[in-house]
Amino acid sequence: MILTVTLNTALDLTYDVPKLVPHTSHRVGDISERPGGKGLNVARVLSALGHETAVTGFAGGSTGAVLRELLAGPSPDGSGAPGTAPAPITDALVTVAGNTRRTIAVVDRTTGDTTQLNEPGPLVTADEWTAFLGRYEELLAGADAVALCGSLPPGIHVGAYAELVRPARAAGVPVLLDTSGEPLRRGIAARPDLIKPNADELAQLTGSRDPLRATRDARRRGAHGVIASLGPDGVLAVTPDGTWQARPPARVLGNPTGAGDSAVAGLLSGLVEGLGWPDRLRRAVALSTATVLAPTAGDFDRAAYEELLPRVVVEEHAPAA
């Protein structure tokens, strides 16, 4: 079982409009509603790949009830591996008094651009945090890997991810951290197995805009491996076993929402399957690119994924001098 942690879950709403024009009214075309937050997005892709997952974090109020109802229902995208049904996703969320946030993505059909509106999330109390920590440690006992993903809701201290990395490391469970800002800075000091910042998050962490230099610097700060998302240029991986860059075979146009979460799912699924780094990175890039090509934000296009996977280019870098 792969465990994903989403402390700031969300109900994701996607509105499709012919053209987004500021200061005007719009008629919305297609509307989709789904459980969201980075870790839930990761779990959905893992499920489609055939991996049993459990999701934990917080959910509350009427929005949280809708999120959990949708989480219990069938996968809406049908993007599982050929010939297989999606694997189970276990709801291990902790109930809070506050209302789960919503995120609204407005997709402009003319340009393909997406405008994102993110609510802050509910205030989590000290007692609710304590209840979550107990649930988390119970779940670690049956986990093959854990992903700690996304922003922190109000009330959660900035060192929360560091507090969650340590018991995973003590239990021998590989842990991937995907967050940003000060939570990333604090979390990396607890020595997670992997971090997956994008280029902006990496520059904020290290002060460097050079991807290779910044990725190596991030590893020196405590992470055993660093996988930097470079957008259309794929990913750069600096690990104890070597350094690689993986690129899609061509640039694609589409909605990038959820592409980084699909990459995390590719990395984690490859890890638990015992794949070598080149194959893990190839899967991560193919999944993230197929997510950009999907018609609904956060899905991945299964046919595109299967076509892209053997064509992702993976190059090994020479060791640093």
Side-chain angles (χ1 to χ4, degrees):
M1 177 268 287
I2 299 176
L3 174 63
T4 71
V5 175
T6 312
L7 297 178
N8 208 7
T9 58
L11 182 64
D12 286 348
L13 305 173
T14 301
Y15 295 157
D16 182 276
V17 299
K19 184 175 178 60
L20 183 62
V21 181
H23 316 299
T24 66
S25 297
H26 296 77
R27 290 192 179 276
V28 176
D30 292 335
I31 302 172
S32 69
E33 186 179 60
R34 67 191 314 158
K38 293 179 72 64
L40 270 70
N41 295 338
V42 172
R44 186 166 53 246
V45 176
L46 286 169
S47 169
L49 293 172
H51 286 273
E52 182 180 349
T53 63
V55 296
T56 192
F58 300 106
S62 59
T63 307
V66 173
L67 181 152
R68 298 181 89 157
E69 181 180 350
L70 291 171
L71 187 61
S75 173
D77 54 29
S79 57
T84 66
I89 299 176
T90 299
D91 177 354
L93 296 166
V94 173
T95 301
V96 293
N99 202 35
T100 294
R101 67 187 178 127
R102 295 165 299 173
T103 69
I104 301 172
V106 183
V107 180
D108 184 326
R109 282 205 309 269
T110 301
T111 64
D113 291 338
T114 301
T115 299
Q116 193 84 17
L117 304 173
N118 297 328
E119 296 179 354
L123 176 68
V124 177
T125 68
D127 286 345
E128 289 165 345
W129 175 247
T130 299
F132 165 77
L133 289 176
R135 177 72 57 83
Y136 175 69
E137 296 217 16
E138 290 172 1
L139 291 165
L140 279 177
D144 298 311
V146 59
L148 309 175
C149 302
S151 62
L152 301 178
I156 299 297
H157 64 95
V158 75
Y161 282 129
E163 188 174 352
L164 300 181
V165 168
R166 293 187 188 102
R169 297 276 298 158
V173 179
V175 55
L176 184 153
L177 176 61
D178 185 13
T179 188
S180 61
E182 193 60 23
L184 174 60
R185 192 180 306 277
R186 300 284 186 92
I188 200 173
R191 301 187 63 78
D193 294 272
L194 287 175
I195 62 169
K196 196 211 66 63
N198 62 33
D200 288 339
E201 293 161 351
L202 193 60
Q204 184 182 18
L205 176 69
T206 66
S208 174
R209 280 280 172 186
D210 177 80
L212 186 56
R213 178 181 300 172
T215 305
R216 286 172 172 161
D217 183 15
R219 185 164 180 257
R220 285 191 293 269
R221 291 168 184 257
H224 290 264
V226 180
I227 314 298
S229 293
L230 304 179
D233 292 322
V235 299
L236 177 64
V238 177
T239 79
D241 302 315
T243 299
W244 292 268
Q245 184 160 0
R247 298 180 179 88
R251 295 201 172 206
V252 298
L253 296 176
N255 183 355
T257 303
D261 303 328
S262 292
V264 169
L267 293 168
L268 284 178
S269 61
L271 169 67
V272 300
E273 291 172 27
L275 300 183
W277 275 110
D279 287 331
R280 294 187 216 177
L281 299 173
R282 190 171 285 111
R283 181 180 291 181
V285 169
L287 280 169
S288 61
T289 306
T291 299
V292 174
L293 293 169
T296 302
D299 289 347
F300 73 92
D301 184 315
R302 187 176 71 186
Y305 165 66
E306 293 168 357
E307 191 274 333
L308 285 163
L309 184 60
R311 298 173 56 221
V312 173
V313 178
V314 182
E315 298 174 333
E316 186 168 10
H317 285 251

